């Protein structure tokens, strides 16, 4: 936070001929302004991220256990329910051999009906992506 009393102090120092002290205070103000600028940039980035997440959640809907994203006149998706529910990630499911497959968490979702985007049912938990290797003693 900038301390506006410093500006008056700097002015008084220059007026009384103590230029070195005034310059030191100016450098301190410069340093504080740079830190403030960095903080503002960080907060703007966080705000933008939150606004995008908010916009996304307003257009995201769940149908038959799968996530879809409303985009103008079409629905994008389907997206993996496991990835979105656990990590907030939108991972598009891939179709293969009458089932949907998540390329990230490897959840397999089968569909009992031939309808294009309805009637999908999740079967089983996702297979783990990585093995946990205990530390050696
Ligand atoms: Zn997934």
């Amino acid at each position: 936070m900038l301390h506006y009393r410093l500006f008056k102090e700097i002015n008084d120092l220059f007026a009384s001929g103590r230029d070195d002290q005034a310059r030191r205070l100016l450098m301190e103000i410069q340093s504080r302004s740079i830190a403030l600028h960095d903080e503002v940039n960080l907060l703007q980035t966080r705000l933008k991220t939150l606004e995008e997440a908010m916009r996304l959640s307003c257009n995201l809907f769940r149908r038959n256990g799968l996530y879809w994203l409303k985009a103008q006149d079409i629905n994008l998706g389907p997206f993996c329910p496991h990835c979105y529910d656990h990590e907030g990630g939108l991972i598009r499911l891939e179709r293969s051999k009458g089932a949907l497959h998540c390329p990230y968490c490897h959840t397999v979702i089968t569909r009992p009906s031939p309808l294009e985007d309805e009637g999908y049912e999740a079967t089983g938990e996702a297979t783990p992506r990585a093995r946990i290797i205990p530390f050696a003693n």
Side-chain angles (χ1 to χ4, degrees):
M1 189 77 176
L2 277 178
H3 297 279
Y4 293 102
R5 67 167 178 75
L6 289 176
F7 292 110
K8 182 181 177 342
E9 203 174 323
I10 290 167
N11 188 48
D12 293 346
L13 287 169
F14 275 125
S16 63
R18 291 179 289 175
D19 292 6
D20 287 345
Q21 281 182 288
R23 280 195 194 92
R24 250 182 266 126
L25 273 182
L26 273 174
M27 286 169 59
E28 186 182 324
I29 287 179
Q30 182 184 34
S31 174
R32 289 181 189 191
S33 330
I34 291 169
L36 258 179
H37 187 262
D38 289 347
E39 187 179 345
V40 166
N41 276 346
L42 178 72
L43 291 173
Q44 283 176 331
T45 303
R46 289 178 63 189
L47 177 64
K48 195 173 178 181
T49 304
L50 284 173
E51 284 174 344
E52 285 170 8
M54 185 85 147
R55 194 173 21 256
L56 186 72
S57 70
C58 287
N59 292 320
L60 195 69
F61 66 95
R62 195 172 177 141
R63 188 171 63 203
N64 297 321
L66 302 176
Y67 283 104
W68 298 83
L69 191 60
K70 249 181 275 175
Q72 293 174 351
D73 293 336
I74 59 165
N75 293 329
L76 301 174
F79 298 99
C80 177
H82 183 266
C83 284
Y84 186 74
D85 291 342
H86 290 86
E87 298 175 39
L90 276 184
I91 309 296
R92 194 173 195 145
L93 295 167
E94 297 173 348
R95 297 171 200 274
S96 70
K97 299 175 188 168
L100 294 171
H101 170 258
C102 176
Y104 183 72
C105 72
H106 305 294
T107 292
V108 175
I109 298 167
T110 57
R111 56 176 181 158
S113 88
L115 294 174
E116 189 62 19
D117 58 355
E118 291 182 3
Y120 288 93
E121 186 177 308
T123 57
E125 278 297 303
T127 55
R129 291 188 306 277
R131 257 184 343 136
I132 297 171
I133 302 168
F135 289 109
N137 290 328

